[in-house]
Amino acid sequence: MKVELQNVSKSYRIGGQEVPVLHNVSFTFPEGKALAVTGPSGVGKSTLLHILGGLDAPTSGNILFDDADLAQLADEPRARFRGKHIGFVFQFHHLLAEFSALENVAMPLVISGMTVEEARESSFDILQRVGLEDRVEHLPGQLSGGQQQRVAVARSLVTNPDVVFADEPTGNLDAQTSRSVTELLLELHQEQGNTLVIVTHNQELAESLGIIAEMKAGGGLERRS
């Protein structure tokens, strides 16, 4: 799926004052490729990702997924589009503490209308793929940080989305676990053929993706390699 930003701007009103974060950002993400978005803290990388994924609305501009403009959709159809086409991985896994690993992964499938039995089967398959087949009934609190993040990766990919957005997915992990999660994301990206966009401060991770876009002060986004 082709993803394109056209003159996207975003401002927040803080204390009665408009604070611009993004200004007329235009960029086309290579379809079916993995790309890293880098840049200094506070430049608007997470804001960009949230807008790209329909979690936040731009002040102006267009967000095109093929012919669908996410910026023009109302809340409900935007949520449906997000559930069908987009997967998210965040720095903090956001797993529901009272649900098992299997139940956390199955939730997007059940919400989309799949039967509980089918959802559990699909969820077990992907948890097996990420090496957690012996942890499927464990609660998040019974898992290590790396295992919790693997569950989050499985949850984001269980719907086989066209596009995956990851916001500092290894930022809360040690170096060895970080490499393991990165390798997993890239393996699954290649298997599923999705477009993968990772916001990161980790230069090693960014270089491993091969394509890097850098955010500049004022919200510009430029392809660096």
Side-chain angles (χ1 to χ4, degrees), residues 25-70:
V25 178
S26 294
F27 193 85
T28 300
F29 294 85
E31 186 174 355
K33 302 292 185 182
L35 176 145
V37 176
T38 64
S41 296
V43 79
K45 300 186 300 299
S46 292
T47 298
L48 175 75
L49 207 65
H50 290 176
I51 286 174
L52 270 168
L55 298 175
D56 197 2
T59 304
S60 61
N62 305 99
I63 307 158
L64 301 179
F65 286 73
D66 287 342
D67 296 326
D69 188 350
L70 210 59

Side-chain angles (χ1 to χ4, degrees), residues 134-214:
D134 58 345
R135 297 288 189 272
V136 294
E137 297 300 338
H138 285 57
L139 299 175
Q142 298 170 315
L143 302 172
S144 69
Q147 289 170 337
Q148 291 178 37
Q149 194 64 319
R150 283 174 175 268
V151 174
V153 169
R155 181 183 57 189
S156 74
L157 296 175
V158 71
T159 58
N160 197 18
D162 298 299
V163 186
V164 176
F165 296 121
D167 191 359
E168 296 285 1
T170 63
N172 203 37
L173 304 174
D174 62 69
Q176 183 176 350
T177 306
S178 173
R179 282 191 292 272
S180 175
V181 170
T182 298
E183 289 168 3
L184 174 64
L185 269 171
L186 290 175
E187 285 173 15
L188 293 173
H189 151 71
Q190 290 170 353
E191 287 177 13
Q192 294 187 346
N194 53 49
T195 298
L196 175 63
V197 180
I198 300 180
V199 163
T200 183
H201 285 102
N202 185 325
Q203 283 303 308
E204 181 182 352
L205 169 56
E207 296 293 342
S208 73
L209 301 185
I211 304 175
I212 300 174
E214 186 173 3

